Amino acid sequence: MPVTLTVKDLKVRSLDIDFNEVSWTLADTIEDVLDYDFQVLRSESPSGPFDELSVPFQDKYLFIDNTLEPAHRWRTFFYKIRLRQRTSGDTTDTDPVAREPEPDRIALELRRHMQLLFREFAGRRCWVLPVRTFGQRCECWNT
């Protein structure tokens, strides 16, 4: 039985020169997502070979890669997510994704101005508690 769970919106962002953040979401499904393991793979080429960065884990959709060596600034790392169904043992890999390009100076300055505006002059301090809006739906959900 092939793996029917689908990973979408796989993104790699740079937190720092030493860290990469790999995040993803799942397509809407009625399958039990706890029946699947995720594993993060990394390579310096989109065609491989890919090294396993993590042990298989469940129900997490964010991975921080802190094993980067900042020796070469222009080195490109490609990431994949391996899905493994626990009951059947079938696996599937996503397409490789590299880190998104750095924003230009105009975008950085605009971001800085907007953060200053929101922090100092506009809005109200509040807590934001994100709700998972993807993945497995409960049995009471109706289309």
Side-chain angles (χ1 to χ4, degrees):
M1 178 174 177
V3 175
T4 58
L5 197 65
T6 306
V7 171
K8 65 177 190 175
D9 297 332
L10 179 59
K11 295 179 186 171
V12 179
R13 290 180 229 139
S14 176
L15 300 174
D16 193 2
I17 194 167
D18 297 334
F19 301 101
N20 276 341
E21 175 189 274
V22 183
S23 63
W24 63 94
T25 60
L26 298 177
D28 292 336
T29 182
I30 57 170
E31 290 190 56
D32 186 10
V33 293
L34 295 177
D35 190 31
Y36 290 88
D37 288 333
F38 302 100
Q39 190 172 19
V40 180
L41 309 171
R42 181 182 72 192
S43 175
E44 292 188 30
S45 168
S47 59
F50 281 86
D51 300 322
E52 297 175 351
L53 284 183
S54 68
V55 296
F57 55 88
Q58 290 180 324
D59 204 30
K60 288 192 326 185
Y61 307 98
L62 178 77
F63 180 79
I64 305 293
D65 180 13
N66 57 1
T67 61
L68 299 176
E69 296 176 11
H72 194 274
R73 180 179 176 181
W74 305 111
R75 179 179 283 172
T76 302
F77 291 108
F78 294 87
Y79 293 89
K80 281 177 151 181
I81 304 298
R82 176 169 289 159
L83 285 101
R84 185 179 70 84
Q85 190 173 20
R86 291 178 143 211
T87 55
S88 66
D90 293 336
T91 62
T92 186
D93 292 345
T94 62
D95 293 332
V97 174
R99 187 172 74 191
E100 297 174 354
E102 298 293 327
D104 61 356
R105 291 184 182 178
I106 296 172
L108 289 173
E109 186 66 16
L110 182 63
R111 182 185 302 163
R112 189 182 71 77
H113 278 281
M114 293 305 290
Q115 287 176 348
L116 178 67
L117 174 71
F118 291 140
R119 185 174 45 244
E120 299 295 331
F121 303 110
R124 178 181 299 168
R125 186 179 300 263
C126 65
W127 290 93
V128 177
L129 302 173
V131 176
R132 187 183 302 172
T133 58
F134 60 88
Q136 180 183 10
R137 296 185 184 263
C138 67
E139 296 166 356
C140 62
W141 183 74
N142 196 0
T143 56

